[in-house]
Amino acid sequence: MDWDNQYRIRQTPWDKGAPAPPLLEWIKAYPEAINGSILVPGSGAGHDVRALASLTQSGAVVGLDISGLATRLAESFPRAHNESYLTGDLFDLPASQKCAYDWVWEHTCFCAIDPFRRDAYVKAVHEALKPGGQLLAVFFLNPYDDEHLPNGGPPHGTSLEELALRFEGSGKFRIEDSYIPRQAYEGREGLEQVMRMTKLV
Ligand SMILES: C[S@@+](CC[C@H](N)C(=O)[O-])C[C@H]1O[C@@H](n2cnc3c(N)ncnc32)[C@H](O)[C@@H]1O
């Protein structure tokens, strides 16, 4: 997928113009829980980055996106608090981004990458987190089938079994919480799973 081109031609149907409802629901339920630094991989227009920066006790909140145009778009919004944006590849993190974060917020990055890169995704997020760091995620559970998306391509769905296998099975994470969020963008109701995991080793 040529992500820069998607932003250039403004084909960004994933951009709902607002933070992910399951993220807002989580912050409301656990207002004190998130502190320290946060990485948001595949941050797009940065709606979740700004929500995390303005609604939590976070330190630095960094949105990382492989598309320079996404970074520019995110930077065009008024600054919320302590957020910043980086153009870069999650699968090729510079040394400065390794063991650097207390939290990672995942939303529509895991489902956007090719499924064959999922173990590499687990490794990359593990590398970005400090020891004991937290991965907070909302995962798309099989959003489309062949009938609706005959040519394949993102979003690529997943299952609870696959998530447990990839994250816990790798020995890199322990799943602490897992639930279906009550709040969702229109059309995603019941298709998502929120998970919080702790980085091991
Ligand atoms: C489906 S979009 C979601 C954007 C944003 N999270 C949202 O929900 O609006 C996926 C994003 O991941 C970015 N992306 C894809 N592969 C990436 C990679 N290897 N490293 C960093 N970002 C990546 C894309 O440029 C795109 O902005």
Side-chain angles (χ1 to χ4, degrees):
M1 171 77 87
D2 182 346
W3 293 103
D4 235 6
N5 194 48
Q6 294 298 118
Y7 284 95
R8 185 174 299 107
I9 63 175
R10 300 185 183 191
Q11 285 293 319
T12 55
W14 54 82
D15 184 351
K16 307 299 181 196
L23 174 62
L24 299 180
E25 181 180 286
W26 199 90
I27 293 172
K28 197 170 175 191
Y30 306 102
E32 310 286 318
I34 295 191
N35 48 43
S37 51
I38 310 173
L39 176 68
V40 181
S43 47
H47 306 299
D48 293 351
V49 173
R50 289 184 293 281
L52 285 161
S54 57
L55 300 175
T56 72
Q57 314 294 314
S58 59
V61 186
V62 176
L64 172 77
D65 204 289
I66 201 164
S67 162
L69 290 179
T71 303
R72 272 172 44 193
L73 175 62
E75 287 174 339
S76 72
F77 286 84
R79 199 174 163 77
H81 187 42
N82 48 9
E83 76 273 24
S84 62
Y85 300 95
L86 275 180
T87 301
D89 186 351
L90 175 65
F91 300 111
D92 189 18
L93 288 176
S96 62
Q97 300 300 307
K98 292 188 178 171
C99 262
Y101 294 96
D102 297 290
W103 291 80
V104 168
W105 165 245
E106 155 60 44
H107 169 223
T108 55
C109 185
F110 185 84
C111 72
I113 60 169
D114 278 327
F116 80 85
R117 303 192 86 178
R118 286 182 172 174
D119 286 339
Y121 174 96
V122 172
K123 183 168 176 284
V125 169
H126 184 268
E127 279 178 354
L129 285 167
K130 295 176 186 173
Q134 303 285 297
L135 169 61
L136 181 62
V138 58
F139 292 109
F140 243 151
L141 299 180
N142 296 316
Y144 295 115
D145 54 30
D146 284 346
E147 183 190 345
H148 295 98
L149 203 70
N151 298 321
H156 302 286
T158 185
S159 64
L160 296 182
E161 294 74 18
E162 181 189 12
L163 292 167
L165 194 65
R166 294 220 188 251
F167 285 89
E168 286 197 322
S170 68
K172 291 181 165 60
F173 288 94
R174 181 177 60 240
I175 298 172
E176 310 283 5
D177 298 315
S178 178
Y179 64 90
I180 299 169
R182 289 203 196 121
Q183 308 292 324
Y185 293 129
E186 196 180 339
R188 286 198 201 163
E189 300 91 345
L191 295 174
E192 296 172 313
Q193 189 82 10
V194 172
M195 287 189 171
R196 183 175 63 82
M197 307 184 200
T198 301
K199 169 177 171 168
L200 304 175
V201 295

